[in-house]
Amino acid sequence: MQDKQRVVKPHLAEEWVGKIYTLLCIFFLIVTIFSMVYFVASKGIGTFLLPNVNVLDFLTGLKWAPEGSPPAFGALPFIVGSFTTSILAALIAAPLGICAAIFMTEIMPGAGRRYLQPVIELLAGIPSVVYGFIGLSVLVPFLRDVFPGQGIGIAAGSIVLSIMILPTITTIAADALAGLPNSLKEGSYALGATRWQTIYRIILPTTLPALLTGVVLGISRAFGEALAVQMVIGNAPHIPKSLFESTSTLTSVITLSMGNTVSGSPHNSALWSLAFILMAMTFVFVFIVRWLERRSKV
């Protein structure tokens, strides 16, 4: 009896240590998240305390001149630029990533996982500054020679972002396709369906919520990218009329201007307001992903 008590007591101690450590980690994460939201929101709210500046004017204004007289705080060009480049990048990368995932899991899993998957993993490990430099050196001159304009603009930014988010979409799509129950595919084959009929009538509709999860995560990744887009998009504070005109994004204007402002100034507060919009949109993307994950359970 005493030997059993000696064995049980160390296990109880280990369990309590594990519980306390886990609770401390959870508490630290919660405090960190709320502290970041409070800090960014408290900094950004200073913009709306200025005379003749409100939330609606800030979100829908077209002119950005924080140092002007009078100053103008119109963030709509940056919001449009961020959404346009992110959505176009997802439209380019989603078909490529989903097709690559289908190739790796359904058509040639051996060759796909041996050759294609390592290449995609290499893309995920390349720094964003390298993507931006390659885009500036190769993509921008190509667009300038083929299409009207200087080559910098939404098209260049979207193409660079599509390559950057391709590993995210491909990996999530491959995991979703690999986790599909074999009984669904076997039942389709038993009814006489071909492999392609099984893919586009059974596999893709069943895994669609998970595939959309990968696309939304890719959009979120593209929405928050700064350096690579900043190098090829032109950074002009206006809404472009074509894909080959320069524009700017929320991340670009923040990274370019934050170091040149004084803390507490109207310009600095406006940049923090842009940062709060960026954070809010990230939370929206996370909620969309969670909603899609609940629908993806087979």
Side-chain angles (χ1 to χ4, degrees):
M1 189 66 179
Q2 294 179 353
D3 293 338
K4 290 183 179 180
Q5 291 179 351
R6 291 175 182 176
V7 174
V8 171
K9 288 182 178 179
H11 287 293
L12 290 175
E14 293 174 359
E15 183 177 355
W16 275 105
V17 170
K19 287 182 178 180
I20 294 173
Y21 179 76
T22 303
L23 291 175
L24 289 176
C25 292
I26 295 173
F27 176 76
F28 176 76
L29 290 174
I30 294 175
V31 171
T32 301
I33 293 173
F34 278 96
S35 299
M36 290 177 61
V37 174
Y38 174 77
F39 179 78
V40 176
S42 61
K43 287 282 188 177
I45 201 174
T47 305
F48 310 113
L49 300 179
L50 299 174
N52 300 324
V53 179
N54 55 54
V55 178
L56 183 61
D57 293 337
F58 186 82
L59 296 177
T60 60
L62 299 177
K63 184 179 179 180
W64 179 261
E67 302 293 341
S69 181
F73 303 95
L76 185 60
F78 310 130
I79 298 173
V80 172
S82 294
F83 274 103
T84 304
T85 52
S86 301
I87 293 174
L88 286 178
L91 291 177
I92 297 172
L96 297 175
I98 294 174
C99 289
I102 293 174
F103 178 82
M104 288 191 299
T105 57
E106 301 297 332
I107 299 176
M108 296 185 67
R113 293 174 182 174
R114 185 179 304 172
Y115 302 108
L116 185 58
Q117 189 170 359
V119 173
I120 295 174
E121 291 174 353
L122 285 176
L123 291 177
I126 298 176
S128 59
V129 66
V130 176
Y131 282 107
F133 184 73
I134 294 175
L136 189 62
S137 304
V138 178
L139 181 60
V140 170
F142 172 77
L143 294 176
R144 182 171 58 241
D145 295 338
V146 176
F147 300 98
Q150 298 299 318
I152 57 177
I154 291 179
S158 299
I159 294 173
V160 171
L161 283 177
S162 66
I163 300 174
M164 295 183 65
I165 66 177
L166 183 61
T168 301
I169 297 177
T170 305
T171 302
I172 295 177
D175 292 340
L177 295 174
L180 191 67
N182 290 327
S183 58
L184 293 176
K185 293 181 284 187
E186 293 173 355
S188 177
Y189 293 140
L191 293 174
T194 63
R195 180 170 62 183
W196 287 107
Q197 288 174 332
T198 302
I199 288 174
Y200 73 81
R201 291 186 177 180
I202 302 298
I203 296 177
L204 290 181
T206 304
T207 58
L208 183 60
L211 299 179
L212 292 177
T213 298
V215 175
V216 174
L217 286 175
I219 295 175
S220 177
R221 167 81 168 85
F223 199 84
E225 178 56 41
L227 186 57
V229 181
Q230 175 185 321
M231 297 174 69
V232 298
I233 203 170
N235 305 304
H238 64 82
I239 299 177
K241 298 179 181 179
S242 72
L243 297 178
F244 306 102
E245 292 185 9
S246 61
T247 184
S248 187
T249 61
L250 292 169
T251 52
S252 297
V253 69
I254 292 172
T255 54
L256 285 173
S257 304
M258 185 61 77
N260 300 321
T261 61
V262 179
S263 180
S265 64
H267 192 179
N268 184 266
S269 299
L271 294 177
W272 280 110
S273 300
L274 296 179
F276 183 72
I277 294 174
L278 190 64
M279 178 179 290
M281 288 309 306
T282 303
F283 288 156
V284 171
F285 289 135
V286 171
F287 292 147
I288 294 175
V289 168
R290 298 297 297 175
W291 178 72
L292 289 173
E293 284 179 350
R294 288 196 297 267
R295 292 175 58 89
S296 63
K297 296 180 180 180
V298 180

